[in-house]
Amino acid sequence: MNFDKEDFKAYLTMIENVISRMATNSFIVKGWTITMISAILVLAVSKKLKLQSIYHCNCSRYFILFYRLFLSQNRKIV
């Protein structure tokens, strides 16, 4: 693969942008996951809602699964 300096610079810039986008999205998803789980636990403790807290924890598991799906899709791009 022979690259000119400008082509190589553009290629590296593209890779850098993809990595930056992945890091930003990963940070946002992790932050929302922590927020949701914390809120669920607070509500479960304060109102003693065992059945609903189990339901919401299952919802947070699905959220984590979607996050893993998102990450696998981004890895296919790179």
Side-chain angles (χ1 to χ4, degrees):
M1 291 174 45
N2 294 330
F3 287 111
D4 294 338
K5 285 185 178 182
E6 293 299 319
D7 291 339
F8 187 68
K9 187 175 180 181
Y11 178 72
L12 289 178
T13 303
M14 180 186 67
I15 291 175
E16 183 179 348
N17 289 337
V18 169
I19 292 171
S20 175
R21 185 180 71 236
M22 286 175 59
T24 302
N25 291 338
S26 174
F27 178 75
I28 290 170
V29 170
K30 286 178 185 176
W32 274 107
T33 303
I34 291 170
T35 302
M36 288 176 55
I37 291 174
S38 299
I40 291 166
L41 291 176
V42 165
L43 287 174
V45 169
S46 67
K47 296 186 178 185
K48 298 181 182 175
L49 303 172
K50 292 182 181 178
L51 186 60
Q52 287 181 351
S53 64
I54 291 171
Y55 169 75
H56 291 300
C57 285
N58 284 335
C59 289
S60 65
R61 286 183 190 155
Y62 287 120
F63 192 73
I64 292 168
L65 287 174
F66 284 131
Y67 170 71
R68 292 177 67 192
L69 175 69
F70 159 76
L71 237 115
S72 68
Q73 292 296 322
N74 267 336
R75 288 183 181 153
K76 288 179 185 177
I77 293 172
V78 176

